[in-house]
């Protein structure tokens, strides 16, 4: 345990997180909807689409990503 006061990194500030969520809503969410819809309506023609949870530690998420890519 340390006695230093906690610090807040620039990438962990409210405005940074808000910008990331805006970017996700504007650019990533539409792609997710597009590819998941394509995979549902034409599974033999669509590129493979895998959704994984981004919650958890880096190692857990990495494992999920590799498992999704290998299936």
């Amino acid at each position: 345990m340390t006695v230093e006061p906690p610090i807040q990194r620039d990438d962990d500030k409210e405005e940074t997180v808000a910008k990331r969520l805006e970017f996700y809503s504007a650019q990533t969410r539409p792609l997710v909807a597009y590819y998941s819809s394509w995979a549902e309506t034409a599974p033999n023609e669509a590129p493979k689409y895998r959704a994984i949870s981004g919650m958890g530690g880096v190692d857990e998420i990495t494992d999920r990503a590799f498992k999704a890519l290998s299936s």
Side-chain angles (χ1 to χ4, degrees), residues 25-70:
S25 293
Q27 296 190 17
T28 305
R29 187 184 303 246
L31 287 174
V32 170
Y34 175 80
Y35 283 109
S36 60
S37 175
W38 187 5
E40 288 175 15
T41 58
N44 294 330
E45 299 169 21
K48 288 188 177 185
Y49 169 82
R50 302 285 187 266
I52 63 167
S53 171
M55 299 300 291
V58 172
D59 291 337
E60 294 171 289
I61 298 166
T62 301
D63 287 343
R64 283 186 214 125
F66 281 121
K67 285 178 185 171
L69 290 170
S70 67

Side-chain angles (χ1 to χ4, degrees), residues 2-17:
T2 64
V3 293
E4 294 99 16
I7 60 168
Q8 184 173 29
R9 299 181 335 205
D10 286 340
D11 65 343
D12 197 29
K13 291 184 178 174
E14 184 177 349
E15 56 271 7
T16 304
V17 174

